[in-house]
Amino acid sequence: MSKNQWSSKLGFILAAAGSAIGLGAIWKLPYVAGTNGGGAFFFIYLIFLVFLGAPLLLSEFMIGRKAQKEAISAYKSIAPNTYWHWIGILGVGTSIILLSFYSVVGGWVVNYFLRSLTGNLSGLGVEEYQRLFGTIISDPIQAIAAHLLFILLTIMIVQGGVQKGIERATRIMMPILFILFIVLVVRSLTLEGALEGVRFILLPNFSEVTSETFLFALGQAFFSLSLGISTMVTYSSYLPKGESLPRSVASVVGLTILISLLAGLAIFPAVFAFGFEPTEGPSLIFSVLPAVFNEMAFGSLFFVCFLALLLFATLTSSISLLEIIVASLTKGRNEERKKKAWTAGLVIFILGIPSALSFGLLDAFFLFDRTFFDLLDYLVSNFLLPLGALCIAIFVGKKLTQEELYNEMTQGSRISSSIFKLWFFLIRFVVPTAIFIVIVQALGIF
Ligand code: TRP
């Protein structure tokens, strides 16, 4: 039995950043910010990333590396004969639901990418892009086929073990993605009327903030950092002892903030310049970005590259979601990996079908006032992720002694005791209280 392990220190950071950076910061953040008031939402999101997300990420890393086991067994080994491993079970269950609708959006990216290769996507007007995108997501055959294709790609990578391949690919693709985003931001900012978009996303207007704004910003922060379902526990369990966890946290959170800002600054100036509505919803980036590329020299070439990189970033996130499911089913028995990856993947494909149809055949089918897709996203992002995160914060504060935590944090890094104390204070008091208040407020319980 070969042990799963990252081949280098950098490999782990890249994989964790790869998991974090994906559709969350690039597709979901702009549309959720757009529908929740813009700047104020964005501001609260950034605060949550730093003060709740970062301490939680460190906690997941510590649990994983300490236990050296996947999401469910990790809790069992730290707190044997208790119910705490239900955090892992909840995480794996949530992961299945999350991937089922994530893959639908992944399918849209695949569809766009294939079309851009054949030159079908260039030279259209703004409304034509909106119409084209409308067809892509509402046509049942295209939506389901693309969802299937995306899941198959994910399965094929996970069945061989995530360590092979992604490390090297991520090292090359991520920097190019960042550079392309910068090009996009520059073009977007130089469009006529761009300033209004900058104001929309960077100038908070707190008069529009409601308790829902906080709930969505909380869910978005956890979504962007892949938190709450022990994905990062599983990834850090492949980490040999001796790597600095706080430094990894700083890298992953820093990169996520950077890409969130770049995404916001690429999209909103263009939204206003082209006369789109920021409240357009899930289709926002898919109709706005092609129009920005259209305004550039070599735009169609840039667009193909951008879609390839976006697809890559999306896959490095989806594989982390499938990985935690497969790791919890195989528990290190690598000979079963292939079979479990296919079984789990196909179950997720089937579960995702109603979400894939939510923009066409089932677009008038509402459950609790939402389409199937929206309902799953709302449930996962705004309740299951925060619930998981809350349990993880409580687990760390209760089940590990301060000494164990201090040892885990300082292993491989020179961290002053005041940083440890600050982290401990955040995770023990601030994080659980904040999550609790946000959820209770939004539910209107008190
Ligand atoms: N963070 C990824 C993104 O932004 C999605 C993701 C991967 C995720 N694993 C997760 C979200 C675990 C929440 C929990 O695209």
Side-chain angles (χ1 to χ4, degrees), residues 28-102:
K28 193 165 190 280
L29 174 65
Y31 107 64
V32 177
T35 47
N36 284 282
F41 173 91
F42 203 69
F43 181 78
I44 299 169
Y45 160 76
L46 290 178
I47 299 283
F48 282 170
L49 271 189
V50 173
F51 292 100
L52 309 183
L56 275 162
L57 188 57
L58 186 55
S59 308
E60 289 206 18
F61 282 171
M62 284 172 157
I63 297 170
R65 188 180 62 182
K66 182 164 173 50
Q68 300 270 309
K69 291 201 166 69
E70 47 69 39
I72 302 175
S73 316
Y75 298 96
K76 277 193 186 156
S77 89
I78 294 175
N81 305 319
T82 62
Y83 289 110
W84 287 102
H85 66 279
W86 275 91
I87 300 178
I89 298 176
L90 175 77
V92 172
T94 307
S95 207
I96 294 174
I97 309 176
L98 205 167
L99 187 51
S100 80
F101 70 82
Y102 197 86

Side-chain angles (χ1 to χ4, degrees), residues 108 133-141 143 356-357 359-361 363:
W108 301 345
F133 185 68
T135 323
I136 288 178
I137 63 175
S138 61
D139 174 14
I141 310 263
L357 297 177
F359 300 86
L361 275 185
D363 64 358

Side-chain angles (χ1 to χ4, degrees), residues 3 99 104 109 118 130 150 237 241 286 308 343 373 420 422:
K3 180 144 178 44
L99 187 51
V104 171
V109 180
T118 55
Q130 273 177 315
F150 184 81
S237 73
K241 307 256 169 191
F286 291 96
T343 317
F373 178 98
F420 174 78
L422 173 67

